[in-house]
Amino acid sequence: MNMSRAYTLLGQKAGYQGVLSVGRVQTPVLGLVVRRDEEIENFVPRDYFTLHALIPYQDNGPAFDIRAKWRPSEACKPWQDEEGRVLNRKLVENVAQRIQGQPAKVVKSEHKSTKQNAPLPYSLSALQIDAAKRYNMSAQQVLDVCQALYEKHKLITYPRSDNRYLPKDHFYQANDVLAAIKNNSQEYSTAVDGADSSRKSKAWNDSKVDAHHAIIPTPKKTSMVLSGFEEKVYGLIARQYVMQFYPAAVYAEAMLEFDIQGGQFVAKGKRLQEPGWRVLLGNSATDQEEGVDAVPPLEVGTVLTCRDGQIGEKKTEPPRHFTEATLLQAMTGISRFVEDKSLKKILRDTDGIGTEATRAGILDTLFKRQLLNRQGKSVMSTPAGRGLIHALPDESTYPDMTAHWEFQLQGMAEKTQSYGPFMSDLNVKLDQLMGQVKTGPVPESLRNLPKVEKPAFKKYKKRRSAGSSTGKRRSKPKAS
């Protein structure tokens, strides 16, 4: 609150009439977007090169090439970037020449089936992320729709939940909930017919449920017509619930590692064998990586011949702009953006920054105060947002400070830390920050910010006082 007032007043000194708000969640989130946008703008693409060994193979069917990707050795590090990509074409050409026509010996062989269980029912953040990806809905829109489905229609359970598990007692309502979905959702009524209500997924787990459980449909059947977004959000929640009664998806995975002239080459493949719950995803249920059929079950020690080396030339690409979905993912997985290992653990244990109930409102605030804006699906920083981040002390624009506070607050909850020292340190820090703002000049980044676009608002007529047709105030009756 103090920093919001201070930086808003600094902005006013420089002629900016908007609100420059600061918060322990909103400011690190704004910092993420600003740094991502500037990284994209300053990105310089570089060429890099890949190499695949083409190894002819024929068994009972037609001949084909096994494509094994080169894994550079430690000796190649001087010619690689931080992600291991080879930047020197001559090095790749040299390796390609060395392996041409040479023996390719299998040194490792793996062929296995793997199972992928259905994803858990939704928490609010998980639902907001999927709705943003599929329907381009904002986090606030999803929350508003959920509140209507919960309060008005009584079709879903409590929506502001950060939990993705269900109490075991709920399992015995499964048939009633499935019957309600069949009645309420035309899109997923057929999916209910394929569900096995006796199948119990890992979602039912009392030890994982605290104040609230996952968001699921209620057993209520309705004949009311839902709005477009209500129908879409209900459908997502229903689909995620029905998935719990479908079998796991089964993949065939294969891997061969070759030694060619002392170089390591790896061929991998993955193919969906049994879709299981993935049939509920429609066309995406058939998603599969190409190449499992091109990775035959060879024994270790088998020797084939590398016919040729295939060089690929590519360019590095900048990171993508945040979308509302990826920004919500960043808020729930904020530990990825912290270097300090101890802080990473704190942020993982506290489920990121913000809560299920506040994340949508925080993003909405950043949009309304014109610190962020939407360009299509992309979420981008505004000049005011950038100006604020560059004017603030660095530590307040990263999630590290929030992590420290979360750690200390958790200590208070567990009675391992006292309130006094926490507040004392906080007051000292705040006095320092306010001192810098009061005595220092207006930061350069806050000068020459654009005019604020005022949001539209309704004009209301002044209400006339009761009993008056002229708008004049009536005199009070005298006491008798």
Side-chain angles (χ1 to χ4, degrees):
M1 181 175 68
N2 285 274
M3 291 181 75
S4 294
R5 293 179 69 184
Y7 279 88
T8 299
L9 290 169
L10 277 179
Q12 287 179 5
K13 279 185 184 178
Y16 182 71
Q17 297 305 309
V19 176
L20 296 174
S21 57
V22 182
R24 73 183 188 96
V25 176
Q26 65 171 279
T27 303
V29 170
L30 178 60
L32 282 181
V33 180
V34 169
R35 285 186 282 273
R36 174 67 62 86
D37 290 349
E38 291 176 347
E39 185 182 353
I40 292 168
E41 288 166 11
N42 298 324
F43 182 80
V44 178
R46 290 186 293 177
D47 293 329
Y48 71 97
F49 307 91
T50 60
L51 175 63
H52 285 82
L54 304 181
I55 305 167
Y57 177 80
Q58 184 171 17
D59 193 7
N60 298 324
F64 60 88
D65 284 338
I66 301 171
R67 296 181 77 251
K69 187 176 182 180
W70 177 45
R71 285 188 177 170
S73 65
E74 287 288 316
C76 299
K77 276 199 170 179
W79 295 278
Q80 292 176 278
D81 65 10
E82 61 280 357
E83 293 185 31
R85 294 173 292 210
V86 179
L87 307 177
N88 187 303
R89 184 182 182 97
K90 287 186 177 179
L91 171 63
V92 178
E93 288 175 343
N94 181 44
V95 176
Q97 289 171 1
R98 278 174 46 211
I99 64 173
Q100 188 172 4
Q102 297 301 312
K105 183 179 179 179
V106 177
V107 293
K108 194 173 181 180
S109 177
E110 291 179 2
H111 284 76
K112 59 185 178 182
S113 288
T114 57
K115 289 186 176 182
Q116 185 186 48
N117 291 319
L120 293 167
Y122 283 124
S123 63
L124 178 59
S125 288
L127 175 60
Q128 288 168 323
I129 289 165
D130 275 6
K133 287 178 179 175
R134 185 161 182 178
Y135 301 122
N136 201 25
M137 293 177 69
S138 74
Q140 190 62 49
Q141 281 178 318
V142 177
L143 180 55
D144 292 343
V145 169
C146 282
Q147 285 298 129
L149 290 170
Y150 172 63
E151 294 175 351
K152 178 183 174 184
H153 300 295
K154 318 290 186 193
L155 293 181
I156 65 169
T157 58
Y158 179 73
R160 293 171 183 255
S161 174
D162 62 354
N163 198 290
R164 300 193 69 174
Y165 289 88
L166 298 166
K168 288 181 180 177
D169 286 351
H170 273 238
F171 181 73
Y172 303 106
Q173 298 179 0
N175 284 320
D176 293 334
V177 175
L178 290 169
I181 293 170
K182 187 172 177 64
N183 177 80
N184 301 339
S185 174
Q186 186 175 355
E187 185 178 2
Y188 292 104
S189 61
T190 307
V192 172
D193 295 333
D196 176 3
S197 61
S198 67
R199 184 184 296 278
K200 200 171 194 176
S201 77
K202 62 179 181 179
W204 280 273
N205 187 335
D206 286 341
S207 67
K208 300 275 191 178
V209 177
D210 41 36
H212 302 290
H213 59 69
I215 307 169
I216 61 171
T218 63
K220 183 184 176 183
K221 295 179 181 178
T222 185
S223 56
M224 290 182 66
V225 177
L226 301 178
S227 71
F229 276 157
E230 287 172 347
E231 190 174 345
K232 285 178 169 65
V233 171
Y234 180 80
L236 285 176
I237 296 168
R239 183 192 73 180
Q240 206 81 353
Y241 182 81
V242 175
M243 282 177 180
Q244 308 309 310
F245 304 98
Y246 272 69
V250 180
Y251 288 89
E253 293 189 26
M255 188 277 290
L256 289 174
E257 184 181 317
F258 293 91
D259 182 301
I260 310 174
Q261 289 294 90
Q264 185 185 28
F265 293 80
V266 178
K268 287 185 177 180
K270 182 178 180 180
R271 178 169 54 86
L272 185 64
Q273 285 184 315
E274 299 171 24
W277 59 270
R278 296 190 71 87
V279 295
L280 274 69
L281 300 180
N283 293 335
S284 59
T286 59
D287 68 338
Q288 52 186 315
E289 295 178 33
E290 295 290 335
V292 72
D293 293 329
V295 185
L298 301 179
E299 297 288 332
V300 172
T302 302
V303 179
L304 303 175
T305 301
C306 172
R307 184 181 75 246
D308 205 357
Q310 185 180 62
I311 297 173
E313 184 173 341
K314 301 183 178 182
K315 282 189 182 292
T316 56
E317 295 182 352
R320 294 182 179 180
H321 286 289
F322 278 109
T323 64
E324 198 143 343
T326 58
L327 200 49
L328 282 166
Q329 286 174 323
M331 292 171 79
T332 55
I334 198 74
S335 60
R336 298 196 308 273
F337 301 92
V338 176
E339 292 297 323
D340 188 314
K341 288 183 180 178
S342 62
L343 294 180
K344 277 180 179 287
K345 184 179 187 306
I346 294 165
L347 288 168
R348 279 199 300 268
D349 292 347
T350 56
D351 194 30
I353 54 175
T355 67
E356 302 296 320
T358 61
R359 286 178 187 131
I362 286 164
L363 292 181
D364 204 42
T365 295
L366 290 169
F367 287 123
K368 283 179 177 175
R369 290 180 178 163
Q370 297 169 38
L371 302 175
L372 292 179
N373 65 19
R374 294 182 180 90
Q375 293 187 21
K377 282 192 173 185
S378 296
V379 173
M380 301 177 72
S381 56
T382 63
R386 293 190 186 198
L388 176 59
I389 290 299
H390 292 308
L392 285 164
D394 259 3
E395 61 188 323
S396 62
T397 69
Y398 286 88
D400 305 49
M401 183 186 289
T402 294
H404 278 301
W405 290 342
E406 290 285 359
F407 178 70
Q408 293 174 80
L409 291 168
Q410 186 63 32
M412 287 179 222
E414 296 171 357
K415 298 185 178 178
T416 59
Q417 182 165 333
S418 58
Y419 168 80
F422 173 77
M423 287 306 300
S424 177
D425 290 346
L426 198 57
N427 283 327
V428 170
K429 184 67 181 174
L430 190 58
D431 284 342
Q432 290 173 351
L433 290 170
M434 291 302 100
Q436 291 171 17
V437 174
K438 289 175 183 176
T439 59
V442 175
E444 189 63 35
S445 65
L446 295 183
R447 300 180 188 275
N448 303 317
L449 292 181
K451 280 190 175 182
V452 177
E453 296 175 19
K454 291 190 177 180
F457 61 93
K458 294 179 180 178
K459 289 185 177 180
Y460 292 92
K461 291 182 180 178
K462 289 184 178 179
R463 292 180 64 185
R464 293 177 177 175
S465 57
S468 170
S469 59
T470 62
K472 294 179 182 178
R473 294 180 62 183
R474 294 177 65 184
S475 59
K476 291 182 181 179
K478 293 180 181 179
S480 55

